[in-house]
Amino acid sequence: EIVEFSPDDPVARRRLGDLLRAHGWYADAQRQYETLARLAPDDATVPLLLSGATEGQGQLEAAIRWLEKAAEARPPSAGSGRSPSSVARALSATFLAWGRLAAKEGNLDTVLLLLERGAATNLRNLAGATALSLALEGGRKNVAAALIRAGAEQ
């Protein structure tokens, strides 16, 4: 009913999308956020919402593209909160963790995708481990080789 009575209300679309995403219905949330993007094309926070919805569906490449778009967005007007670009940078830390996990588990396709996107190869987690050290520790030689080719150091 949220959008039934006012289908062109951006606030209603955002709330419905948020509700759907909170319940794990990411594809439905994505549709609401896509409609929101058409209704409010200047809303710089929509790419972040779309990134969350696509990430929830396991669409890593699409989520990264939306994060990149959010990072390029102009900041909102003064006093309206954190800029989308600063939030996008914070969310990129999630993808770094995802990359470390992919390296540890030997998921070469994900590691290569992140490297193509310019992922930093030598950042350390709180325990001091890099993606390369995790790949080597897990015996993931093919992932380790790809990381070394990309300039990773232990």
Side-chain angles (χ1 to χ4, degrees), residues 19-126:
L19 179 67
L20 292 166
R21 190 167 49 116
H23 282 46
W25 298 319
Y26 298 107
D28 294 328
Q30 180 179 352
R31 283 191 289 280
Q32 295 305 316
Y33 295 146
E34 288 169 347
T35 301
L36 173 61
R38 287 190 296 276
L39 295 173
D42 294 330
D43 186 338
T45 63
V46 174
L48 288 173
L49 299 171
L50 284 160
S51 175
T54 53
E55 180 188 358
Q57 295 174 74
Q59 299 172 5
L60 174 62
E61 187 168 357
I64 291 173
R65 277 196 311 268
W66 283 116
L67 278 176
E68 289 169 342
K69 187 170 182 169
E72 295 168 0
R74 61 178 170 72
S77 60
S80 64
R82 296 177 69 184
S83 75
S85 60
S86 67
V87 175
R89 283 190 298 275
L91 285 176
S92 68
T94 303
F95 290 111
L96 287 173
W98 194 347
R100 287 188 200 103
L101 179 63
K104 184 176 182 178
E105 294 179 348
N107 189 335
L108 183 60
D109 290 338
T110 300
V111 170
L112 292 174
L113 175 64
L114 291 168
L115 290 173
E116 287 174 18
R117 294 284 182 183
T121 56
N122 293 314
L123 295 179
R124 297 181 181 277
N125 65 12
L126 293 175

